Amino acid sequence: MNKPVQPKLAIQKPQVLDFQFHGKAGEFFRIWIVNLCLTILTLGIYSAWAKVRTHQYFYGHTTLGGSSFEYTALPMQILKGRLIAFGLFILYQVITNFFPLAALPMMLLFAAVLPWIIVRSMMFRHFNTRYRNIRFGFDGGYVQALIAYVLLPVGSAFTAGLLYPYAVCRQQRWLANHSRFGDTQMSAEFKAGAFYSIYLSALFLMISTGVLFFLVQTAAPTLTPLLPLVVLPFYYLVYAYIKVNVVNLTLNNLHLGEHRFESRMRTLAYLWIFISNTFAIVFTLGLATPWAMIRSANYRATCTSALIQGDLEQFVQAQQDQQNAFGEELGETLDLEFGV
């Protein structure tokens, strides 16, 4: 007796939503120039307000599915963090100048405190980012940050850089797997081999470039004074290659529940934007900075999409219900400026 054939369930294709950036250079220039003037006039104090205004502009002009993001930090929180960081820097300078032998213990102390700074910075950044009135969150811990940002980078210094790609892998994995939107956890499974592939390719490019220019210098010594002008763009190419591929690798493996993301940045396109922005800023004595920032943000948004399984409205509504049920976490953390 033949068994009845079970109908195959149709695989639902994800809904592709592109990130969009709507900022205008002329519009942002007015904000930027006021921020710059007031920061100078107040000896840097207004920089906290300048950061909030800048972030609010860029977040507010970045949309997904017709809704924009929000930046909700208060300038006084940022100012407090900066004053503490500035005070610690002055304390370090004073102690090491009067007691040179204290430099090493101070460096070890900073290495021990650094993971805490990174954790608090990420908590602050996520808590003050909202989408459709839902806050992001971060719950990374000290020990994992210590391994990823201190122990592995130090280890890479003693292994001729062999541990560095693994350190970057651990950093990206830690950031992704401890971030959340509302009550939904983000996740990413990164393989260290993928990061080693990126950095080994970059190393091969650097070595090949060095050999090529050595041969040119040997064959035509008269071109030696011009070599720095030619070498610099090639090393910018290495930087762009690493930056683009690490971003793409991270976002293309990032999941938010059953939803995921896609990044389509290209090395040469990013390199052109980076170099042309740099020249524009230099030749305009900094006045092209707003144009460069808008241009970079627009390219990043254009190359990024969210692949939504099901209905975005239902997903967001579920996050709102969970947020209302559990309440919002306390966001009194310091914005200790640290690039991660």
Side-chain angles (χ1 to χ4, degrees):
M1 182 177 179
N2 295 329
K3 294 182 179 180
V5 178
Q6 296 292 334
K8 293 184 179 180
L9 296 177
I11 299 177
Q12 185 179 7
K13 291 185 178 180
Q15 178 187 6
V16 179
L17 297 178
D18 296 327
F19 285 82
Q20 296 180 333
F21 183 71
H22 306 280
K24 304 296 182 183
E27 186 178 59
F28 178 60
F29 179 83
R30 293 190 290 271
I31 296 174
W32 177 83
I33 196 67
V34 170
N35 285 345
L36 178 64
C37 293
L38 291 178
T39 299
I40 294 173
L41 290 174
T42 59
L43 302 179
I45 293 177
Y46 188 79
S47 63
W49 281 261
K51 176 174 181 175
V52 170
R53 293 186 67 197
T54 298
H55 278 27
Q56 286 178 343
Y57 182 86
F58 278 86
Y59 280 49
H61 286 80
T62 302
T63 62
L64 177 67
S67 298
S68 62
F69 291 80
E70 297 177 78
Y71 185 72
T72 62
L74 299 176
M76 285 303 298
Q77 291 176 295
I78 296 174
L79 180 62
K80 180 169 63 174
R82 291 184 174 181
L83 290 176
I84 291 175
F86 181 72
L88 291 176
F89 174 76
I90 296 299
L91 180 63
Y92 172 80
Q93 293 295 326
V94 171
I95 292 177
T96 54
N97 283 334
F98 284 97
F99 306 99
L101 294 179
L104 181 59
M106 291 291 289
M107 290 179 61
L108 294 176
L109 178 62
F110 176 74
V113 174
L114 179 62
W116 179 85
I117 294 176
I118 296 173
V119 170
R120 301 301 286 183
S121 177
M122 295 307 300
M123 289 176 63
F124 184 90
R125 185 181 305 176
H126 281 62
F127 181 81
N128 287 291
T129 301
R130 292 195 308 192
Y131 175 72
R132 295 195 179 185
N133 210 35
I134 306 296
R135 289 190 185 275
F136 286 77
F138 186 79
D139 54 15
Y142 174 87
V143 174
Q144 290 296 321
L146 176 67
I147 295 172
Y149 287 93
V150 177
L151 298 183
L152 285 175
V154 170
S156 70
F158 289 99
T159 57
L162 291 178
L163 278 179
Y164 186 74
Y166 181 64
V168 176
C169 177
R170 287 290 296 263
Q171 292 168 7
Q172 297 299 103
R173 184 187 302 162
W174 179 74
L175 292 172
N177 291 334
H178 293 90
S179 300
R180 56 184 169 79
F181 173 64
D183 199 53
T184 300
Q185 198 74 26
M186 293 185 182
S187 63
E189 289 298 329
F190 299 122
K191 295 185 181 299
F195 286 88
Y196 273 97
S197 177
I198 293 172
Y199 282 92
L200 286 176
S201 297
L203 179 62
F204 176 77
L205 183 60
M206 289 181 64
I207 294 175
S208 301
T209 301
V211 171
L212 175 62
F213 287 116
F214 174 76
L215 295 176
V216 172
Q217 186 178 19
T218 304
T222 56
L223 297 179
T224 300
L226 300 177
L227 284 180
L229 298 177
V230 182
V231 170
L232 191 60
F234 275 90
Y235 284 105
Y236 280 156
L237 174 62
V238 173
Y239 165 78
Y241 176 82
I242 294 174
K243 177 72 173 181
V244 165
N245 282 277
V246 168
V247 170
N248 286 347
L249 178 62
T250 301
L251 290 180
N252 290 335
N253 288 277
L254 182 64
H255 291 75
L256 175 61
E258 60 183 359
H259 316 293
R260 57 192 182 87
F261 300 88
E262 182 181 72
S263 178
R264 303 174 298 277
M265 292 175 64
R266 296 291 179 263
T267 299
L268 293 181
Y270 181 84
L271 176 65
W272 164 246
I273 291 174
F274 180 78
I275 291 179
S276 56
N277 282 353
T278 301
F279 275 102
I281 292 172
V282 170
F283 286 119
T284 61
L285 302 180
L287 292 178
T289 299
W291 174 79
M293 294 172 66
I294 293 290
R295 193 168 173 235
S296 298
N298 183 64
Y299 176 71
R300 181 71 177 270
T302 301
C303 295
T304 310
S305 301
L307 282 63
I308 307 298
Q309 290 287 351
D311 185 79
L312 179 63
E313 298 295 335
Q314 294 179 357
F315 173 70
V316 172
Q317 184 61 52
Q319 299 308 304
Q320 291 174 342
D321 293 341
Q322 291 167 348
Q323 178 171 274
N324 292 336
F326 293 104
E328 295 183 347
E329 62 182 293
L330 184 64
E332 293 181 354
T333 52
L334 299 178
D335 178 39
L336 302 177
E337 293 286 329
F338 188 85
V340 292

